[in-house]
Amino acid sequence: MSIRSEEQVLFDELRANNPAVILDGVVDEQEYLSARYKIAYILKEVNGGAGWDLREFVRKEKEYGRPQTWDNIARWTQGILSWEAELPWCELEKDNENRRKTFLRKIAAINLKKTSGGHTANADEIYRAAEEYSQVIQAQLDIYRPDIVICCGTSGPYVKHCYRGSEPEWKMTTRGIWYFLDGETVVISYSHPEARTKDSLLYYGLMDAVKEILSNHQL
C-alpha cells in the first residue's frame, strides 16, 4: 500500500469524527522516498481555515507554502540533504521560491494539533492536542519511517505524549543541541522556523548539529 493510501485511511477515520481536521504528512511521496534522507518536521499547528490539506497547500505551483515558515524549512532540507557541503548564506538567502518548489516536495510535515489555531500558538492547546492525537502522530511516523525527525519547537509535547513509557536517552551536541536515537531515526529538538532570530543563525545552528550527529552515527 502506498504512503498516500495509508494516510487516507488514517485521515478518513479522523475526519469522520471531526470534519475540520487539516490533513498533513508527506508532500510528494515519490520525492520523499527518493531523497537521500527521509525528513519529517514536527510542527505545532496551521493558522486559519478548516478541513483543508496542508500537503496540497505546500505543493501548489505558485505558493509553495507560507514564506515565514517554509523558506527556512526548505533551506534546512537542502542543507541536511547535502550536509557535507558548506553552503554560503549569500546563496541561501536568494531564490527562495525555486528552493521551496524543489525541497518542500521531499519532506513530511506533521502538526501536533490537527485543527487550525490563531496567529500565535497556545502552548496549553498544543500540549492537549499532542495527547489527543498522539496515536495518529505515531501512526503517521510508522507509515513514513523517517531517517531524521526535526521537532520545531515541539519536542516537549511530542516526546511527552508520543514516547509514554519509553523515556528517550537524550544526548547533546558539542554546541548544545539535544537529540536522541529512536532505532535508526534521529530525533532533533530544535527551534521553530519562525523563531525570532536571524534566519542565518537558525540555519547554521541546525547544520552544525546535523553534521556532528550524522558524522557520529553514520546515517
Side-chain angles (χ1 to χ4, degrees):
M1 185 180 286
S2 68
I3 286 176
R4 184 51 59 95
S5 297
E6 292 189 79
E7 284 179 324
Q8 194 63 46
V9 171
L10 193 62
F11 282 114
D12 282 348
E13 293 178 3
L14 268 182
R15 279 194 165 170
N17 294 319
N18 184 357
V21 162
I22 294 164
L23 310 187
D24 56 23
V26 168
V27 176
D28 183 309
E29 181 170 349
Q30 183 175 352
E31 290 287 326
Y32 176 77
L33 292 174
S34 63
R36 180 184 183 186
Y37 301 109
K38 298 190 293 294
I39 306 169
Y41 293 90
I42 307 294
L43 300 160
K44 296 178 181 179
E45 63 183 3
V46 299
N47 179 11
W52 52 280
D53 190 331
L54 178 65
R55 302 165 301 178
E56 297 296 333
F57 174 78
V58 173
R59 198 165 51 231
K60 278 183 181 178
E61 183 176 353
K62 293 184 179 179
E63 293 186 0
Y64 300 111
R66 186 168 177 249
Q68 293 92 324
T69 295
W70 301 103
D71 279 356
N72 276 333
I73 287 183
R75 288 190 193 103
W76 296 358
T77 303
Q78 180 180 2
I80 292 169
L81 294 178
S82 55
W83 63 270
E84 298 93 340
E86 186 64 36
L87 302 178
W89 187 250
C90 63
E91 294 179 8
L92 289 166
E93 67 178 348
K94 299 175 183 177
D95 203 19
N96 288 310
E97 183 173 325
N98 281 328
R99 181 176 295 106
R100 294 198 303 273
K101 178 180 178 179
T102 299
F103 288 99
L104 293 182
R105 288 178 174 269
K106 301 179 184 296
I107 69 167
I110 302 171
N111 286 303
L112 295 181
K113 188 167 175 278
K114 301 300 186 187
T115 54
S116 66
H119 185 268
T120 302
N122 180 292
D124 290 339
E125 289 183 3
I126 298 300
Y127 265 87
R128 287 194 295 271
E131 182 176 19
E132 178 182 357
Y133 295 111
S134 61
Q135 292 183 342
V136 176
I137 295 162
Q138 288 173 310
Q140 286 183 273
L141 290 169
D142 286 343
I143 293 169
Y144 306 151
R145 300 175 62 186
D147 301 302
I148 300 170
V149 172
I150 310 290
C151 294
C152 301
T154 54
S155 60
Y158 169 64
V159 171
K160 179 177 180 179
H161 295 299
C162 293
Y163 283 87
R164 285 176 289 189
S166 56
E167 182 65 26
E169 184 180 343
W170 287 96
K171 304 175 186 293
M172 189 175 69
T173 66
T174 304
R175 292 190 175 95
I177 301 301
W178 290 95
Y179 73 98
F180 63 89
L181 299 179
D182 180 0
E184 296 182 354
T185 301
V186 174
V187 180
I188 301 174
S189 176
Y190 202 61
S191 301
H192 192 276
E194 290 189 46
R196 294 181 180 179
T197 189
K198 288 185 177 181
D199 291 342
S200 57
L201 296 180
L202 285 173
Y203 174 82
Y204 290 111
L206 179 59
M207 289 311 105
D208 181 82
V210 166
K211 289 180 179 184
E212 180 175 332
I213 293 166
L214 295 185
S215 294
N216 289 342
H217 297 287
Q218 299 180 342
L219 295 179

